[in-house]
Amino acid sequence: MSRPKSDEKRSAILEAATRIIVTQGLSAPTAGIAKEAGVANGSLFTYFETKTDLFNQLYLELKIEMASAALEGLPAKAELRDQFFHIWSNWMRWAVSNPEKRRALAQLGVSDEITMATVLRAIRP
């Protein structure tokens, strides 16, 4: 029987992948990501089948986090222009507060590793 997966380890791997992508790019080895996360390289593959799976999950999580931040507190009854400004302001606040996540997302966004299914899930969760 396999051990249950830990949300903390999964999060540590995703956070480490974000940092490694920013410093080393998308070609960084998974062993470096695992080391940065403080887990064995084999443990990384317990949580993500492949490096591509890891990158797709990270892309999806970052996109959802960014969208949630942008929509937070959206004034539903405000005029469209005010709603747009609110979304833009929140997005800018997220981008400035999370420079590593923003840079990792920019790299992932142009990667051939990110599948169309993941992109569609990010815009229609």
Side-chain angles (χ1 to χ4, degrees):
M1 176 188 269
S2 64
R3 295 173 60 188
K5 293 180 182 177
S6 160
D7 288 339
E8 291 80 23
K9 279 188 182 178
R10 184 180 187 282
S11 293
I13 293 167
L14 290 170
E15 290 168 12
T18 300
R19 290 188 299 273
I20 293 293
I21 288 169
V22 170
T23 59
Q24 298 179 29
L26 298 171
S27 62
T30 57
I33 295 169
K35 182 177 179 182
E36 178 76 16
V39 302
N41 194 34
S43 292
L44 186 146
F45 294 106
T46 299
Y47 292 86
F48 306 96
E49 279 187 34
T50 63
K51 186 176 179 181
T52 297
D53 181 39
L54 168 61
F55 285 174
N56 276 272
Q57 289 299 312
L58 179 59
Y59 175 86
L60 187 59
E61 292 211 6
L62 291 175
K63 280 291 215 178
I64 289 170
E65 179 184 329
M66 181 183 69
S68 294
L71 294 172
E72 186 176 327
L74 182 66
K77 296 190 183 211
E79 291 198 25
L80 186 58
R81 179 179 179 184
D82 295 330
Q83 287 181 344
F84 180 78
F85 182 74
H86 179 89
I87 291 169
W88 181 82
S89 296
N90 280 357
W91 178 82
M92 289 299 294
R93 195 172 302 109
W94 180 88
V96 169
S97 299
N98 299 283
E100 282 187 333
K101 290 179 179 182
R102 180 184 48 80
R103 287 194 298 265
L105 189 55
Q107 288 191 48
L108 290 165
V110 295
S111 169
D112 291 337
E113 299 293 323
I114 305 306
T115 66
M116 184 54 67
T118 299
V119 171
L120 292 175
R121 281 183 59 205
I123 59 174
R124 294 185 223 141

PDB file of all heavy atoms in Angstrom, residues 12-34:
ATOM      1  N   ALA A  12       5.392  22.329  -1.819  1.00  0.00           N
ATOM      2  CA  ALA A  12       6.833  22.611  -1.797  1.00  0.00           C
ATOM      3  C   ALA A  12       7.447  22.379  -3.175  1.00  0.00           C
ATOM      4  O   ALA A  12       8.305  23.148  -3.622  1.00  0.00           O
ATOM      5  CB  ALA A  12       7.524  21.741  -0.746  1.00  0.00           C
ATOM      6  N   ILE A  13       7.002  21.329  -3.854  1.00  0.00           N
ATOM      7  CA  ILE A  13       7.517  21.033  -5.199  1.00  0.00           C
ATOM      8  C   ILE A  13       7.106  22.135  -6.176  1.00  0.00           C
ATOM      9  O   ILE A  13       7.920  22.615  -6.972  1.00  0.00           O
ATOM     10  CB  ILE A  13       7.035  19.648  -5.683  1.00  0.00           C
ATOM     11  CG1 ILE A  13       7.670  18.540  -4.818  1.00  0.00           C
ATOM     12  CG2 ILE A  13       7.357  19.442  -7.161  1.00  0.00           C
ATOM     13  CD1 ILE A  13       7.035  17.170  -4.999  1.00  0.00           C
ATOM     14  N   LEU A  14       5.858  22.568  -6.116  1.00  0.00           N
ATOM     15  CA  LEU A  14       5.390  23.626  -7.016  1.00  0.00           C
ATOM     16  C   LEU A  14       6.122  24.943  -6.736  1.00  0.00           C
ATOM     17  O   LEU A  14       6.510  25.653  -7.675  1.00  0.00           O
ATOM     18  CB  LEU A  14       3.874  23.804  -6.883  1.00  0.00           C
ATOM     19  CG  LEU A  14       3.035  22.657  -7.433  1.00  0.00           C
ATOM     20  CD1 LEU A  14       1.576  22.814  -7.027  1.00  0.00           C
ATOM     21  CD2 LEU A  14       3.163  22.556  -8.947  1.00  0.00           C
ATOM     22  N   GLU A  15       6.329  25.269  -5.472  1.00  0.00           N
ATOM     23  CA  GLU A  15       7.046  26.497  -5.129  1.00  0.00           C
ATOM     24  C   GLU A  15       8.502  26.416  -5.584  1.00  0.00           C
ATOM     25  O   GLU A  15       9.049  27.398  -6.108  1.00  0.00           O
ATOM     26  CB  GLU A  15       6.962  26.750  -3.620  1.00  0.00           C
ATOM     27  CG  GLU A  15       5.575  27.150  -3.165  1.00  0.00           C
ATOM     28  CD  GLU A  15       5.402  27.131  -1.654  1.00  0.00           C
ATOM     29  OE1 GLU A  15       6.422  27.035  -0.923  1.00  0.00           O
ATOM     30  OE2 GLU A  15       4.253  27.216  -1.206  1.00  0.00           O
ATOM     31  N   ALA A  16       9.112  25.252  -5.391  1.00  0.00           N
ATOM     32  CA  ALA A  16      10.491  25.068  -5.840  1.00  0.00           C
ATOM     33  C   ALA A  16      10.587  25.167  -7.360  1.00  0.00           C
ATOM     34  O   ALA A  16      11.513  25.787  -7.893  1.00  0.00           O
ATOM     35  CB  ALA A  16      11.021  23.716  -5.360  1.00  0.00           C
ATOM     36  N   ALA A  17       9.631  24.574  -8.052  1.00  0.00           N
ATOM     37  CA  ALA A  17       9.625  24.644  -9.519  1.00  0.00           C
ATOM     38  C   ALA A  17       9.525  26.092  -9.980  1.00  0.00           C
ATOM     39  O   ALA A  17      10.200  26.488 -10.934  1.00  0.00           O
ATOM     40  CB  ALA A  17       8.476  23.811 -10.081  1.00  0.00           C
ATOM     41  N   THR A  18       8.726  26.887  -9.296  1.00  0.00           N
ATOM     42  CA  THR A  18       8.606  28.306  -9.638  1.00  0.00           C
ATOM     43  C   THR A  18       9.967  28.986  -9.525  1.00  0.00           C
ATOM     44  O   THR A  18      10.393  29.682 -10.450  1.00  0.00           O
ATOM     45  CB  THR A  18       7.582  28.997  -8.706  1.00  0.00           C
ATOM     46  OG1 THR A  18       6.315  28.366  -8.864  1.00  0.00           O
ATOM     47  CG2 THR A  18       7.462  30.473  -9.018  1.00  0.00           C
ATOM     48  N   ARG A  19      10.648  28.783  -8.409  1.00  0.00           N
ATOM     49  CA  ARG A  19      11.958  29.426  -8.200  1.00  0.00           C
ATOM     50  C   ARG A  19      12.985  28.941  -9.213  1.00  0.00           C
ATOM     51  O   ARG A  19      13.751  29.734  -9.768  1.00  0.00           O
ATOM     52  CB  ARG A  19      12.450  29.162  -6.773  1.00  0.00           C
ATOM     53  CG  ARG A  19      11.652  29.889  -5.711  1.00  0.00           C
ATOM     54  CD  ARG A  19      12.288  29.765  -4.334  1.00  0.00           C
ATOM     55  NE  ARG A  19      12.393  28.397  -3.850  1.00  0.00           N
ATOM     56  CZ  ARG A  19      11.440  27.747  -3.183  1.00  0.00           C
ATOM     57  NH1 ARG A  19      10.289  28.344  -2.936  1.00  0.00           N
ATOM     58  NH2 ARG A  19      11.645  26.509  -2.767  1.00  0.00           N
ATOM     59  N   ILE A  20      12.997  27.637  -9.479  1.00  0.00           N
ATOM     60  CA  ILE A  20      13.984  27.058 -10.398  1.00  0.00           C
ATOM     61  C   ILE A  20      13.733  27.533 -11.830  1.00  0.00           C
ATOM     62  O   ILE A  20      14.676  27.841 -12.565  1.00  0.00           O
ATOM     63  CB  ILE A  20      13.986  25.518 -10.307  1.00  0.00           C
ATOM     64  CG1 ILE A  20      14.488  25.060  -8.941  1.00  0.00           C
ATOM     65  CG2 ILE A  20      14.788  24.895 -11.432  1.00  0.00           C
ATOM     66  CD1 ILE A  20      15.941  25.360  -8.650  1.00  0.00           C
ATOM     67  N   ILE A  21      12.486  27.604 -12.235  1.00  0.00           N
ATOM     68  CA  ILE A  21      12.163  28.087 -13.584  1.00  0.00           C
ATOM     69  C   ILE A  21      12.678  29.513 -13.763  1.00  0.00           C
ATOM     70  O   ILE A  21      13.246  29.856 -14.799  1.00  0.00           O
ATOM     71  CB  ILE A  21      10.652  27.991 -13.862  1.00  0.00           C
ATOM     72  CG1 ILE A  21      10.233  26.532 -14.052  1.00  0.00           C
ATOM     73  CG2 ILE A  21      10.260  28.829 -15.080  1.00  0.00           C
ATOM     74  CD1 ILE A  21       8.727  26.314 -14.065  1.00  0.00           C
ATOM     75  N   VAL A  22      12.502  30.341 -12.748  1.00  0.00           N
ATOM     76  CA  VAL A  22      12.938  31.735 -12.831  1.00  0.00           C
ATOM     77  C   VAL A  22      14.463  31.825 -12.942  1.00  0.00           C
ATOM     78  O   VAL A  22      14.978  32.616 -13.722  1.00  0.00           O
ATOM     79  CB  VAL A  22      12.425  32.547 -11.623  1.00  0.00           C
ATOM     80  CG1 VAL A  22      13.069  33.921 -11.552  1.00  0.00           C
ATOM     81  CG2 VAL A  22      10.905  32.675 -11.690  1.00  0.00           C
ATOM     82  N   THR A  23      15.173  31.001 -12.185  1.00  0.00           N
ATOM     83  CA  THR A  23      16.633  31.113 -12.160  1.00  0.00           C
ATOM     84  C   THR A  23      17.330  30.295 -13.241  1.00  0.00           C
ATOM     85  O   THR A  23      18.377  30.696 -13.734  1.00  0.00           O
ATOM     86  CB  THR A  23      17.204  30.714 -10.785  1.00  0.00           C
ATOM     87  OG1 THR A  23      16.830  29.364 -10.482  1.00  0.00           O
ATOM     88  CG2 THR A  23      16.707  31.648  -9.695  1.00  0.00           C
ATOM     89  N   GLN A  24      16.742  29.127 -13.621  1.00  0.00           N
ATOM     90  CA  GLN A  24      17.429  28.229 -14.548  1.00  0.00           C
ATOM     91  C   GLN A  24      16.671  27.977 -15.844  1.00  0.00           C
ATOM     92  O   GLN A  24      17.199  27.364 -16.762  1.00  0.00           O
ATOM     93  CB  GLN A  24      17.707  26.888 -13.865  1.00  0.00           C
ATOM     94  CG  GLN A  24      18.611  27.002 -12.663  1.00  0.00           C
ATOM     95  CD  GLN A  24      18.837  25.665 -11.996  1.00  0.00           C
ATOM     96  OE1 GLN A  24      18.800  24.619 -12.630  1.00  0.00           O
ATOM     97  NE2 GLN A  24      19.066  25.690 -10.690  1.00  0.00           N
ATOM     98  N   GLY A  25      15.435  28.398 -15.902  1.00  0.00           N
ATOM     99  CA  GLY A  25      14.645  28.181 -17.110  1.00  0.00           C
ATOM    100  C   GLY A  25      13.928  26.838 -17.108  1.00  0.00           C
ATOM    101  O   GLY A  25      14.057  26.040 -16.179  1.00  0.00           O
ATOM    102  N   LEU A  26      13.199  26.603 -18.166  1.00  0.00           N
ATOM    103  CA  LEU A  26      12.369  25.403 -18.280  1.00  0.00           C
ATOM    104  C   LEU A  26      13.176  24.130 -18.508  1.00  0.00           C
ATOM    105  O   LEU A  26      12.660  23.032 -18.330  1.00  0.00           O
ATOM    106  CB  LEU A  26      11.347  25.579 -19.406  1.00  0.00           C
ATOM    107  CG  LEU A  26      10.347  26.724 -19.193  1.00  0.00           C
ATOM    108  CD1 LEU A  26       9.533  26.946 -20.446  1.00  0.00           C
ATOM    109  CD2 LEU A  26       9.459  26.451 -18.002  1.00  0.00           C
ATOM    110  N   SER A  27      14.433  24.265 -18.876  1.00  0.00           N
ATOM    111  CA  SER A  27      15.248  23.078 -19.119  1.00  0.00           C
ATOM    112  C   SER A  27      15.935  22.574 -17.849  1.00  0.00           C
ATOM    113  O   SER A  27      16.671  21.589 -17.890  1.00  0.00           O
ATOM    114  CB  SER A  27      16.295  23.361 -20.192  1.00  0.00           C
ATOM    115  OG  SER A  27      17.170  24.387 -19.754  1.00  0.00           O
ATOM    116  N   ALA A  28      15.680  23.217 -16.720  1.00  0.00           N
ATOM    117  CA  ALA A  28      16.298  22.798 -15.456  1.00  0.00           C
ATOM    118  C   ALA A  28      15.902  21.355 -15.153  1.00  0.00           C
ATOM    119  O   ALA A  28      14.774  20.941 -15.397  1.00  0.00           O
ATOM    120  CB  ALA A  28      15.836  23.713 -14.326  1.00  0.00           C
ATOM    121  N   PRO A  29      16.846  20.574 -14.626  1.00  0.00           N
ATOM    122  CA  PRO A  29      16.545  19.174 -14.325  1.00  0.00           C
ATOM    123  C   PRO A  29      15.598  19.030 -13.137  1.00  0.00           C
ATOM    124  O   PRO A  29      15.609  19.851 -12.214  1.00  0.00           O
ATOM    125  CB  PRO A  29      17.911  18.570 -14.000  1.00  0.00           C
ATOM    126  CG  PRO A  29      18.768  19.717 -13.610  1.00  0.00           C
ATOM    127  CD  PRO A  29      18.233  20.920 -14.337  1.00  0.00           C
ATOM    128  N   THR A  30      14.800  17.974 -13.171  1.00  0.00           N
ATOM    129  CA  THR A  30      13.869  17.719 -12.067  1.00  0.00           C
ATOM    130  C   THR A  30      14.614  17.465 -10.770  1.00  0.00           C
ATOM    131  O   THR A  30      14.091  17.758  -9.696  1.00  0.00           O
ATOM    132  CB  THR A  30      12.934  16.532 -12.384  1.00  0.00           C
ATOM    133  OG1 THR A  30      13.733  15.380 -12.667  1.00  0.00           O
ATOM    134  CG2 THR A  30      12.009  16.849 -13.527  1.00  0.00           C
ATOM    135  N   ALA A  31      15.825  16.940 -10.849  1.00  0.00           N
ATOM    136  CA  ALA A  31      16.613  16.707  -9.636  1.00  0.00           C
ATOM    137  C   ALA A  31      16.861  18.025  -8.896  1.00  0.00           C
ATOM    138  O   ALA A  31      16.838  18.068  -7.665  1.00  0.00           O
ATOM    139  CB  ALA A  31      17.933  16.031  -9.982  1.00  0.00           C
ATOM    140  N   GLY A  32      17.073  19.101  -9.631  1.00  0.00           N
ATOM    141  CA  GLY A  32      17.263  20.417  -9.020  1.00  0.00           C
ATOM    142  C   GLY A  32      15.997  20.923  -8.361  1.00  0.00           C
ATOM    143  O   GLY A  32      16.035  21.539  -7.291  1.00  0.00           O
ATOM    144  N   ILE A  33      14.863  20.662  -9.000  1.00  0.00           N
ATOM    145  CA  ILE A  33      13.577  21.063  -8.425  1.00  0.00           C
ATOM    146  C   ILE A  33      13.329  20.284  -7.137  1.00  0.00           C
ATOM    147  O   ILE A  33      12.934  20.853  -6.112  1.00  0.00           O
ATOM    148  CB  ILE A  33      12.432  20.848  -9.443  1.00  0.00           C
ATOM    149  CG1 ILE A  33      12.610  21.779 -10.647  1.00  0.00           C
ATOM    150  CG2 ILE A  33      11.071  21.068  -8.776  1.00  0.00           C
ATOM    151  CD1 ILE A  33      11.694  21.484 -11.822  1.00  0.00           C
ATOM    152  N   ALA A  34      13.570  18.980  -7.189  1.00  0.00           N
ATOM    153  CA  ALA A  34      13.370  18.134  -6.004  1.00  0.00           C
ATOM    154  C   ALA A  34      14.279  18.591  -4.865  1.00  0.00           C
ATOM    155  O   ALA A  34      13.831  18.704  -3.713  1.00  0.00           O
ATOM    156  CB  ALA A  34      13.631  16.674  -6.356  1.00  0.00           C
TER     157      ALA A  34
END
